[in-house]
Amino acid sequence: MEIFLIKLLQFLLSISLLVLLHEGGHFFFSKLFGVRVEKFYLFFDPWFHIFEWKPRNSDTKYGIGWLPLGGYCKIAGMIDESFDTKQMASEPQPWEFRSKPAWQRLLIMIGGVLVNFLLALFIYSMIMFTWGESYYKVSDMTMGMKFNSAAKELGFQDHDILLGTDKGTFRDFTPDLYRGLADGTRADIIRDGKRMSIPLPGNLNLLDMIKSEPAFVRPFIPAKIEDVMKDSPAAKAGIAKGDVILALAGRQVDSWNEYNDVSGRLQDMLATATTTADSMKVRNTQVVVKRKNSIDTIAITLTPDLKMGVYQASLGSFYKITTDRYGFLESFPAGIRYGISVLKGYVGDMRYMFSADGAKSLGGFGAIGNMFPAEWDWYLFWKMTAFLSIILAFMNILPIPALDGGHVLFLLYEIITRRKPGEKFLVVAEYIGISLLLLLMVVANLNDILRALGIM
């Protein structure tokens, strides 16, 4: 419960900040051009609200709704999700959105996206200034990578050190490395001390590479035990910190990657067990460990969820971490480069959303909330907030009615043709857009539920 609350608080704080600033972008340009804002809300308020306040001599009601699905900036004289057709039926007033020149209306509509994008770049810059940029260089991973069977069919071998592809050199192990392998036609590696290249098809499926079990490629991490949990099966069996696992349940293990694969097979066996005796047969197994002066075979009874009770060694146990530090002024170009790289990767991955696997990978509020750490960490909080800000900016600028991008599309049409779309057309488009967004939201959050139930 404590972990859930910490993640929930981080999610609510992050999304509140992003929504307020996004709607604040619309608010700023509206006020700049003399357009009345009738309502400025954090979260939606169908039927009732948590808080509402209208300053004296102000046209705007400020408040907090109870439904945390976004925010609301109701601009006078504009067709939006409020469907205020009564207002639109009256004569246009000079303070209304529809009475302003198209270029001013365009700036009002892109204000939220602009704020979110600039906010992400600013946060990334401040992250660079405050914490620097820490990563493990792929070229420093002298034990190379662990590849799955699909990768080995292409010519990769365990312990190959990845250098890059024809698309560019790899710096660290991030989704960009997978993207490079997916789109590249050549992979450059070091094998047994020699540099060589492996041909690639150039059209590998990124989702398949990441979601396959085991994944296409992972850093090779020897199965060295970092520590042992007190009173765990491992502690009771005499397994100690520093031991290296060589085999589990009769299967050889050369890395934590392999250990997790074997553990997954045991999970499958346990799922098919029909009696307590069958379950205990899976749980009662043997572990072969290497110690300073011996190799020992140890009998062990795993927990009901097949855990041994050990902490796995991480990359930091074997490879040095590289940290790039930036001064205040240096942090801005570094943060901008990083933010644009994140945006390019996200936009490039959007093509997978229209596939069956892509639709299944969609996540709703539960998936987003789970992306926050289980402990409050300001570095990870701000990094996640910047990432969500970029997503919010990109998704809102898509040319879909009911989103900012839909309004921008119709305004560009007006600027180019010098003809305004009809109000009836805009109302119908708004209904269609909202229906699409609601459908997408239902699918994404249904995926969260199915994943939580173990169905997907």
Side-chain angles (χ1 to χ4, degrees):
M1 178 58 76
E2 182 182 355
I3 291 175
F4 170 77
L5 289 176
I6 291 173
K7 290 189 174 189
L8 177 63
L9 286 173
Q10 290 180 92
F11 170 73
L12 289 176
L13 177 60
S14 178
I15 208 70
S16 298
L17 174 67
L18 296 180
V19 167
L20 276 174
L21 291 175
H22 176 91
E23 301 302 336
H26 297 308
F27 185 90
F28 171 79
F29 283 105
S30 296
K31 290 296 185 181
L32 182 66
F33 299 129
V35 177
R36 285 184 182 175
V37 176
E38 299 175 352
K39 205 171 179 181
F40 187 88
Y41 257 65
L42 171 65
F43 304 151
F44 296 139
D45 63 328
W47 304 296
F48 67 94
H49 54 260
I50 296 174
F51 166 80
E52 187 175 82
W53 173 63
K54 185 177 181 181
R56 185 179 298 177
N57 301 323
S58 173
D59 300 309
T60 308
K61 290 181 181 178
Y62 301 89
I64 300 175
W66 62 272
L67 189 61
L69 299 181
Y72 192 47
C73 181
K74 189 177 187 307
I75 299 170
M78 174 183 167
I79 296 175
D80 59 9
E81 55 267 37
S82 68
F83 297 106
D84 191 354
T85 54
K86 182 179 179 181
Q87 183 185 70
M88 300 303 293
S90 62
E91 286 295 316
Q93 300 299 317
W95 62 78
E96 289 186 336
F97 178 82
R98 55 181 165 166
S99 300
K100 300 300 178 180
W103 69 270
Q104 292 185 3
R105 285 180 278 137
L106 182 63
L107 284 174
I108 291 172
M109 292 319 306
I110 67 173
V113 168
L114 182 63
V115 167
N116 279 132
F117 183 64
L118 294 178
L119 174 67
L121 298 183
F122 177 75
I123 293 175
Y124 281 132
S125 298
M126 291 301 95
I127 287 174
M128 297 296 181
F129 173 65
T130 306
W131 289 283
E133 189 177 11
S134 298
Y135 54 93
Y136 295 98
K137 290 183 179 179
V138 175
S139 57
D140 286 343
M141 296 180 187
T142 52
M143 285 181 281
M145 302 289 165
K146 182 76 176 177
F147 297 90
N148 70 5
S149 57
K152 290 176 180 177
E153 287 177 4
L154 293 172
F156 290 104
Q157 294 181 11
D158 288 342
H159 301 291
D160 285 348
I161 301 173
L162 288 173
L163 301 177
T165 68
D166 54 301
K167 299 294 182 181
T169 302
F170 296 143
R171 188 190 70 166
D172 52 351
F173 195 89
T174 65
D176 284 338
L177 181 143
Y178 276 95
R179 294 184 187 109
L181 292 172
D183 298 332
T185 58
R186 183 197 76 240
D188 300 322
I189 65 169
I190 293 177
R191 180 180 296 167
D192 298 328
K194 298 179 181 178
R195 185 180 178 118
M196 59 182 294
S197 296
I198 294 174
L200 295 174
N203 60 351
L204 293 173
N205 187 292
L206 181 64
L207 284 179
D208 288 344
M209 295 171 69
I210 296 174
K211 293 178 65 176
S212 59
E213 292 292 342
F216 187 89
V217 57
R218 299 146 292 166
F220 189 96
I221 305 175
K224 184 178 180 180
I225 296 172
E226 189 73 16
D227 208 347
V228 178
M229 299 178 191
K230 186 178 179 181
D231 298 326
S232 65
K236 293 175 182 177
I239 296 172
K241 175 182 178 179
D243 289 349
V244 177
I245 299 175
L246 300 180
L248 172 66
R251 292 181 178 271
Q252 288 189 344
V253 169
D254 63 358
S255 63
W256 282 120
N257 317 98
E258 195 73 30
Y259 175 89
N260 292 330
D261 294 342
V262 175
S263 183
R265 292 192 183 98
L266 293 178
Q267 293 281 1
D268 293 338
M269 293 171 61
L270 188 64
T272 61
T274 56
T275 66
T276 302
D278 291 337
S279 298
M280 292 306 299
K281 191 178 294 185
V282 177
R283 291 177 56 195
N284 291 327
T285 187
Q286 291 185 331
V287 180
V288 180
V289 298
K290 180 181 179 182
R291 291 167 168 163
K292 287 184 179 180
N293 301 313
S294 65
I295 295 176
D296 299 331
T297 300
I298 301 172
I300 188 170
T301 301
L302 304 175
T303 63
D305 58 349
L306 299 183
K307 301 298 182 183
M308 190 184 298
V310 297
Y311 294 101
Q312 301 183 5
S314 63
L315 279 173
S317 302
F318 304 98
Y319 309 117
K320 68 174 183 177
I321 192 168
T322 298
T323 301
D324 296 333
R325 297 288 180 184
Y326 301 94
F328 182 74
L329 294 179
E330 294 173 319
S331 67
F332 287 96
I336 290 169
R337 282 195 303 270
Y338 188 89
I340 291 175
S341 174
V342 170
L343 177 62
K344 287 172 62 178
Y346 183 77
V347 173
D349 295 345
M350 282 293 290
R351 67 184 187 269
Y352 295 102
M353 193 180 79
F354 302 101
S355 65
D357 286 338
K360 291 179 181 178
S361 68
L362 284 175
F365 297 111
I368 296 172
N370 270 325
M371 293 171 71
F372 286 93
E375 297 180 353
W376 200 286
D377 185 312
W378 283 112
Y379 167 75
L380 294 176
F381 170 82
W382 286 117
K383 197 170 184 180
M384 185 64 194
T385 299
F387 177 63
L388 291 178
S389 193
I390 279 187
I391 292 177
L392 190 60
F394 175 73
M395 295 301 290
N396 265 285
I397 205 60
L398 291 175
I400 299 173
L403 291 177
D404 296 343
H407 294 287
V408 168
L409 178 66
F410 297 140
L411 281 166
L412 290 175
Y413 167 82
E414 179 184 341
I415 291 172
I416 294 169
T417 65
R418 300 185 182 278
R419 293 174 55 195
K420 281 188 176 183
E423 289 184 3
K424 287 185 178 179
F425 168 80
L426 292 177
V427 170
V428 172
E430 195 78 10
Y431 273 117
I432 293 173
I434 287 179
S435 298
L436 288 173
L437 293 177
L438 288 174
L439 176 62
L440 184 63
M441 189 179 297
V442 168
V443 171
N445 286 284
L446 180 60
N447 284 350
D448 285 351
I449 295 170
L450 293 176
R451 277 190 284 266
L453 295 174
I455 298 174
M456 184 182 290

